[in-house]
Amino acid sequence: MSQITLTGIAKAYGTSVAIAPMDLTVADGEFLTLLGPSGCGKTTLMRMIAGITLPDQGAIRINGRDMAALPPEKRNVGLVFQSYALFPHMTVAANVGFGLRMRGIARDAAAERVRAALALVDLEPLAARYPRELSGGQQQRVALARAIVIEPDVLLLDEPLSNLDAKLREHLREDLRNLQQRLRVTAIYVTHDQAEAMALADRIIVMDKGRIVEEGAPVDLYRAPQTRFAAEFLGQTNVVAVTAAGLLPWNAGVAGPADGMVSIRPEDIAVTPALDGAGRVLSLTFLGPAVEYRIDIGGTVLRARDSGTGTAILPQGTQVDLTLRVPPHPLQGVA
Amino acid sequence: MRRLPQGVVAALLVLPSGGYLALFFGLPLLLAFLGSFGLYARGGDGGFTLRHYADLFGTQAYRDGLVFSTYLAIVPTLVSLAISLPLAVGLAQTFPGRKLFNALYKVPLVVPGIVAAFIVMTLFDRGGLAARLLTPIGIDLPKIVRDDWAVGVIIATAWKAVPFMTLIIGGSLGAIQKDIILAARTLGATPLTAFWRIQIPLALPGITAAFLLTFIGGMGAFAVPNLLGPVYPLPLSVHMYVNAFERNNWGLVAAMGTMLSLISVLVLLAYYRTTRSLRTAYGGEVR
């Protein structure tokens, strides 16, 4: 049961700002995802919570307790590294039991907790193996078991799935979410993968250049982004100018804020063939569940996506009409 | 074209490296071993004999020499290890002047052992620099050149071996993924615990290599103990020289060489055994 509060936290390496002063609160039991491109400061932020990177200023509190003077070993956080960072000279059981040993838990009790943690990640039969004898996915699960067995106040996950292949990643993503909900542990998850962020998080913090750009629940962030950065980072979108007269580059009969920009998701554009249509199919990509078109309309190129098995596949050069399935979403503060 | 049988192909492939090893390492060792039993020995009579070993173990000076050679291998190596390990750890940290220190500590690597011996002699012998500086202020330096405990030899050998061991140990400590140590820290290990339980076991291959190379060097050391060591006992290496060039007793030399090699091999095996069990113990296997 733990709440994390960051107040005015900041970090710079020489002249380059890793984290600009920021405040952040993570609610008890919340699954928070820090999403952003590499170098945006998300990992630094997480490492500061773990105590392995020290902030230049600001305070970090876990359950109201100030962490400033506490070294990593006293913070009771579970950290899963991108590289897993398993101890290569220890068996799976010894890896998972390490944190309990450090806490002076009696041998029998520790062995039982190790067994339970391994059962939780379906690795009980591999307890006596060494990390080198495991697959990437198994190593990742050992790292997870090692982090949760100590019953941490907060579980920190640094791109834990990024070294795995797509299918396994999807599978483990679900397991991770289930596990977190079952344990009710507060979790902070760092990733640059927007699909992962949306699938896992209760709340996403979008970061860029050491700053929080935008935050919100996955649905809100995806459907109603406030900033161009968030709109473009979470999935694909078309950012189009809009005037009082209507939507550019074609008059779709939708007026927006004068001289503003709107975000239109490709799946919100319906494409219908029309001999006198204003648009023309430049290229198409068949993705399996969907077809993606690049469409030229009045000199602007838009992406549109149509899905479903019954979807007609329009060849290159087809003249088309574009209609919006939902009103376009206005963006703030972009030129 | 008919294909050669697989066994023949394998043998041909191994031949260059295997042949080289056999010719330049195996053969000399074998000749020394046979020579110690009077077979194919230089200047020997050719018949099988245990006379040389009887000589070696029957003569007090040689027995003491064998023990002393072993002492000169073990003690300087342990002293060097005790200095190199913390030094290697220290050098991995950032501190002002690190670059300069990093270059300076390696200087002894390029100084020949005999020169190191003379440096120690100039500094610490009776009437040496240290004595001349300290006597006026009432400090009387104990005898450390040609003393019974071979302190001078230990100093000179360690002076040479510390940078060498530090370099190897530092390399293997540096090769440990930083995240692994950080993982240990977040799991509750203090820096010291992480060092003993994670870094040391993972750096053991490097530590073992540095230890063994220094040990074997000490086992056969000739110049340094000859210059700085006590008058009695003399290390076996010095006895080998005397027996070869002053007494033409090559059979005995071969027996002494075989004993020195044998002890080195035994230490090697013992060390591998202990480090392996250490590794397991430190790792805290829970099976």
Side-chain angles (χ1 to χ4, degrees), chain A residues 47 50 52 71-73 77 79 81 83 85-91 93-94 98-99 101-103 107 128 130 146-147 150, chain B residues 177 179-191 193-194 197-199 201-202 279-287:
Chain A
R47 288 184 167 226
I52 56 186
E73 61 267 26
V77 297
L79 177 52
F81 290 82
S83 60
L86 298 179
F87 308 129
H89 58 303
M90 297 185 197
T91 58
F98 186 84
R101 224 177 123 130
M102 293 298 109
R103 280 160 175 74
R107 234 186 160 76
Y130 282 88
R146 187 176 68 174
I150 59 171
Chain B
Q177 221 190 93
D179 280 355
I180 292 182
I181 302 160
L182 292 177
R185 295 291 307 281
T186 59
L187 288 167
T190 61
T193 311
R197 293 199 183 274
I198 308 296
Q199 286 172 276
L202 291 180
R279 205 179 154 117
T280 326
Y282 276 135
E285 303 296 274
V286 185
R287 288 211 180 226

Side-chain angles (χ1 to χ4, degrees), chain A residues 176-191:
Chain A
L176 196 59
R177 180 70 178 144
N178 290 337
L179 193 63
Q180 186 266 343
Q181 294 200 319
R182 199 143 36 116
L183 300 174
R184 296 299 310 151
V185 63
T186 309
I188 299 181
Y189 189 99
V190 161
T191 183

Side-chain angles (χ1 to χ4, degrees), chain A residues 258-274:
Chain A
D259 301 322
M261 302 289 260
V262 293
S263 159
I264 309 168
R265 298 280 179 201
E267 62 269 26
D268 293 336
I269 302 178
V271 182
T272 38

